[in-house]
Amino acid sequence: MTNDTKNSANTMWGGRFAAGPDAIMEAINASIGFDKRMARQDITGSRAHASMLAAQGIITDKDAEAIREGLLTVLSEIETGTFVYSTALEDIHMNVEARLKEIIGEPAGRLHTARSRNDQVATDFRLWVRDQVDAAIEGLDALIRAFLDQAEAGADWVMPGFTHLQTAQPVTWGHHMMAYVEMFARDKSRFQDARVRMNESPLGAAALAGTGFPTDRHMTAEALGFDRPMANSLDAVSDRDHALEFLSNATICALHLSRFSEELVIWSSAQFRFVTLSDRFSTGSSIMPQKKNPDAAELIRAKIGRIMGSMVALFTIMKGLPLAYSKDMQEDKEQFFDAADNLMLSLAAMTGMVSDLTANKDALAAAASSGFSTATDLADWLVRELGLPFRDAHHVTGALVGMAEKQGCDLPDLSLDDMQSVHADITEGVYDVLTVDASVASRMSYGGTAPVRVREQIAAWRERLG
């Protein structure tokens, strides 16, 4: 470290310290390697702060204008890649302020009036998180629309519905796709709810106790798009709930992404052949030329490990911190940045996969009738037509399934004599309910798999999304 760098760092710290940090302390203390991602938010917040200081007569209009213009020059250098970052200056805030001083001189020193790095970083980070929330909402909206397109294309295509990954009852492709519309819509609503809570400004809370200067925190809050300033200065500088809530929401969303990824991996296998993934989201094998691997789905399936890990890490960091600010909070950003990056990448990749996905209608239909999938329809017919208690109907149906297994056939292939040997009152009418198409068409209850219900839900979601 040069003497100039030491002196620059000491100037930022003030007269309390006679010497700069050694290399190890500098390495553990510096955050510029990752918090430089908040440069735009930092400069936006500083410009709003300078305008407020001038409006309140705390600094002159001339100094405020010099600061605002100088900050735009700094931002331009950062965006064009000519800005030189210094680890000796620790973080993005000091790097920006030091460069501002080089550009405009003495007025730069007035920018930090009535604020602290504590409320500055809290503001920058909150702005950055808010931007990520908006991006997540936009990404989820695109994903939901992709699932709606799939649902609409196959609203009446029959496929097996599973429990325990065993054939349970026939459903429609559209119904299955709409299940994910509901899941990702909840994810979207969680981010929207979180945005409302986080949209309060920490700026002006200063170090922890507020300031004696006649500031106008409502002015800076409005300038930065916040609904209001945070009401307690201690809470303002020490709160990271917005980041915790984002990571919690991101983890649930990643869970949903992982679940569908798992289905894509299974469905695209040679054993299922339910779907074909596009070449854009598949890879081959280095030695097996026939292979088409669902790598994008597998990678998305794995992302929840990183995202949930980041959530656990930040919860652990925050759990034992007394009020107000502690340096531990510097560890919030790397975890958050990684989780946010991986969530946005996963959303984009999944949207692409769903948009390109081709469902194999014939394979779905063939599988839908396997595994005695209409057994419940038979039991329901016995209740409805013969007046049997459901438990008795369940027993009769089980006996017929056992008979079909022994004969190596499905339920519709049993003769009427076979059926009447189990229950004498069964009539020819039973065969009307033993097809998969009849089964799905009969599920007319709200939220059911009947194609008419699926199309109603698709239309409702199209209207809701606009």
Side-chain angles (χ1 to χ4, degrees):
M1 183 187 298
T2 66
N3 287 333
D4 287 343
T5 304
K6 283 184 179 180
N7 291 336
S8 178
N10 294 340
T11 299
M12 303 305 288
W13 283 2
R16 168 66 177 82
F17 294 90
D22 63 22
I24 294 174
M25 182 59 195
E26 181 179 301
I28 196 172
N29 194 47
S31 60
I32 188 59
F34 51 86
D35 70 14
K36 61 186 178 182
R37 293 185 65 170
M38 301 191 301
R40 180 174 59 81
Q41 288 79 10
D42 187 74
I43 288 171
T44 298
S46 290
R47 281 170 53 83
H49 185 66
S51 295
M52 181 276 295
L53 292 176
Q56 294 299 106
I58 300 171
I59 65 174
T60 66
D61 289 338
K62 181 179 178 181
D63 283 348
E65 182 62 21
I67 290 169
R68 288 194 299 267
E69 291 302 312
L71 286 170
L72 288 179
T73 300
V74 175
L75 180 61
S76 176
E77 291 177 354
I78 290 171
E79 291 179 341
T80 58
T82 60
F83 189 91
V84 180
Y85 295 100
S86 167
T87 56
L89 295 173
E90 298 184 16
D91 55 33
I92 187 61
H93 325 298
M94 286 188 169
N95 270 265
V96 168
E97 187 174 331
R99 178 59 181 142
L100 180 65
K101 185 176 181 180
E102 292 174 351
I103 295 170
I104 68 171
E106 187 265 345
R110 304 186 188 282
L111 173 60
H112 211 53
T113 307
R115 74 173 183 183
S116 162
R117 273 197 298 175
N118 293 354
D119 64 329
Q120 188 178 357
V121 67
T123 302
D124 294 357
F125 193 34
R126 193 171 288 251
L127 288 169
W128 205 91
V129 174
R130 191 179 69 184
D131 289 343
Q132 297 308 298
V133 167
D134 291 341
I137 291 170
E138 183 178 347
L140 282 162
D141 194 67
L143 180 57
I144 290 167
R145 292 179 189 277
F147 273 106
L148 284 172
D149 290 342
Q150 282 288 345
E152 195 162 39
D156 56 1
W157 298 354
V158 291
M159 66 174 290
F162 299 98
T163 60
H164 310 281
L165 203 55
Q166 305 294 314
T167 300
Q169 293 176 299
V171 296
T172 58
W173 173 260
H175 192 56
H176 199 109
M177 295 298 101
M178 290 302 294
Y180 284 97
V181 169
E182 296 291 333
M183 287 186 213
F184 290 116
R186 288 195 297 273
D187 293 330
K188 179 181 172 183
S189 70
R190 274 185 280 268
F191 282 114
Q192 289 171 325
D193 291 344
R195 195 189 194 286
V196 173
R197 274 184 293 278
M198 73 175 60
N199 206 36
E200 296 182 338
S201 174
L203 188 57
L208 77 162
T211 178
F213 289 95
T215 57
D216 184 350
R217 293 188 61 210
H218 288 84
M219 178 181 173
T220 52
E222 182 178 357
L224 296 173
F226 290 113
D227 294 329
R228 64 192 67 85
M230 296 182 74
N232 183 284
S233 59
L234 286 167
D235 181 49
V237 298
S238 63
D239 171 57
R240 295 297 183 271
D241 287 0
H242 53 292
L244 292 168
E245 196 164 1
F246 179 96
L247 292 175
S248 299
N249 296 343
T251 299
I252 298 172
C253 182
L255 177 104
H256 294 153
L257 290 167
S258 181
R259 292 185 73 179
F260 190 64
S261 294
E262 173 72 4
E263 294 200 308
L264 290 179
V265 171
I266 294 171
W267 290 351
S268 62
S269 68
Q271 290 70 30
F272 274 74
R273 297 186 302 109
F274 282 5
V275 301
T276 301
L277 299 176
S278 74
D279 292 346
R280 292 201 307 148
F281 295 98
S282 305
T283 63
S285 166
S286 61
I287 64 169
M288 295 172 283
Q290 83 282 8
K291 293 292 292 298
K292 185 175 182 180
N293 299 323
D295 281 8
E298 292 171 351
L299 288 166
I300 293 173
R301 186 174 59 184
K303 292 296 186 184
I304 187 173
R306 293 178 67 164
I307 294 171
M308 184 165 61
S310 295
M311 179 191 71
V312 172
L314 187 53
F315 269 90
T316 305
I317 289 166
M318 296 299 300
K319 75 174 183 63
L321 298 186
L323 296 179
Y325 180 83
S326 298
K327 194 71 168 181
D328 310 50
M329 292 183 190
Q330 183 168 291
E331 293 296 313
D332 57 3
K333 294 167 199 65
E334 283 183 286
Q335 304 290 342
F336 188 93
F337 293 159
D338 184 76
D341 288 347
N342 280 284
L343 178 65
M344 302 312 166
L345 179 60
S346 297
L347 286 171
M350 184 59 81
T351 301
M353 277 196 294
V354 174
S355 298
D356 290 358
L357 188 65
T358 301
N360 186 339
K361 181 181 178 181
D362 293 337
L364 291 170
S369 59
S370 66
F372 310 105
S373 64
T374 57
T376 304
D377 298 277
L378 172 56
D380 289 346
W381 185 89
L382 293 169
V383 171
R384 187 171 56 250
E385 299 298 326
L386 303 186
L388 270 64
F390 184 81
R391 286 303 168 199
D392 293 346
H394 188 283
H395 179 78
V396 170
T397 302
L400 290 170
V401 168
M403 180 184 293
E405 282 184 321
K406 288 180 181 179
Q407 295 185 18
C409 67
D410 208 342
L411 286 173
D413 301 319
L414 291 174
S415 69
L416 184 59
D417 287 341
D418 288 335
M419 292 197 179
Q420 289 177 341
S421 71
V422 176
H423 196 286
D425 294 335
I426 295 177
T427 68
E428 287 278 356
V430 73
Y431 293 101
D432 293 338
V433 302
L434 294 183
T435 67
V436 292
D437 288 311
S439 175
V440 297
S442 71
R443 308 295 171 181
M444 290 286 291
S445 59
Y446 180 80
T449 192
V452 65
R453 293 289 174 257
V454 172
R455 290 190 174 96
E456 285 173 357
Q457 289 297 316
I458 293 169
W461 273 107
R462 295 278 193 206
E463 184 177 356
R464 191 179 308 181
L465 293 172

